[in-house]
Amino acid sequence: SRFVLLSMFMFILIHGLNAQFVSTGTVSVTPVCAGAQVTVDFSVTNGTGSSAYYTNSTLYTVYLSNSSGTSFTSIGSFSTTGVTYDATDAGSTTGLNYSATIPAGTISGASYKISIGSSSPNFDGSTGTNASAAFTINAQVIPSVSVAVTPGQSVCQGTNVSFTATP
């Protein structure tokens, strides 16, 4: 029974070390306004066996964290075309990128992260594993202008008035 347990442990150890994964690199524009696009650089590393290799048929999912960088939600999916992927066990393909749109209703925060997951082969990006460095998102605001005269004062027609607009 020790031999069986040791064999199982070795199998898990060896195959666990050769699992495929996606590493998210940089986010192009920071800070970014909610509703805008950012380019996300990433790389992929194959697992063991051709079924664990990344190809142009791989479906990637982009995840955006909450403002504290901890909980991730899907913001879109894509696949690649025309990429020459490394086709070897543990082979890496670098220099990949994708333009993702930050949802318009995203609140301001300085600890957002982006993670990328995949299916075929599977890599769970929703956990934030191998996510980007934290970056800043600024919320969209609707600017408004108001003009007020100090109580008790009036302005003559034709007089210049200065005012300030703030979001």
Side-chain angles (χ1 to χ4, degrees):
S1 88
R2 283 187 195 167
F3 178 75
V4 173
L5 288 175
L6 181 59
S7 295
M8 288 176 54
F9 175 76
M10 291 303 294
F11 178 82
I12 292 169
L13 180 64
I14 290 168
H15 289 282
L17 293 175
N18 292 322
Q20 65 277 357
F21 60 91
V22 179
S23 294
T24 307
T26 59
V27 175
S28 63
V29 180
T30 184
V32 62
C33 186
Q37 284 193 331
V38 294
T39 300
V40 182
D41 296 325
F42 67 101
S43 63
V44 296
T45 301
N46 295 332
T48 302
S50 61
S51 64
Y53 291 1
Y54 288 91
T55 68
N56 286 308
S57 297
T58 299
L59 179 65
Y60 296 97
T61 302
V62 180
Y63 296 91
L64 177 67
S65 74
N66 58 9
S67 60
S68 61
T70 55
S71 178
F72 288 78
T73 303
S74 171
I75 61 169
S77 297
F78 68 97
S79 58
T80 58
T81 57
V83 173
T84 302
Y85 285 89
D86 187 308
T88 61
D89 285 358
S92 292
T93 302
T94 61
L96 302 169
N97 60 60
Y98 178 71
S99 291
T101 301
I102 303 298
T106 304
I107 62 171
S108 293
S111 295
Y112 281 98
K113 296 178 183 178
I114 288 182
S115 179
I116 298 177
S118 65
S119 60
S120 189
N122 293 328
F123 178 75
D124 187 2
S126 68
T127 63
T129 301
N130 297 339
S132 70
F135 65 97
T136 300
I137 295 177
N138 293 324
Q140 291 181 345
V141 294
I142 299 172
S144 62
V145 176
S146 62
V147 178
V149 176
T150 304
Q153 294 182 349
S154 60
V155 178
C156 289
Q157 183 176 350
T159 303
N160 290 333
V161 177
S162 297
F163 62 93
T164 303
T166 58

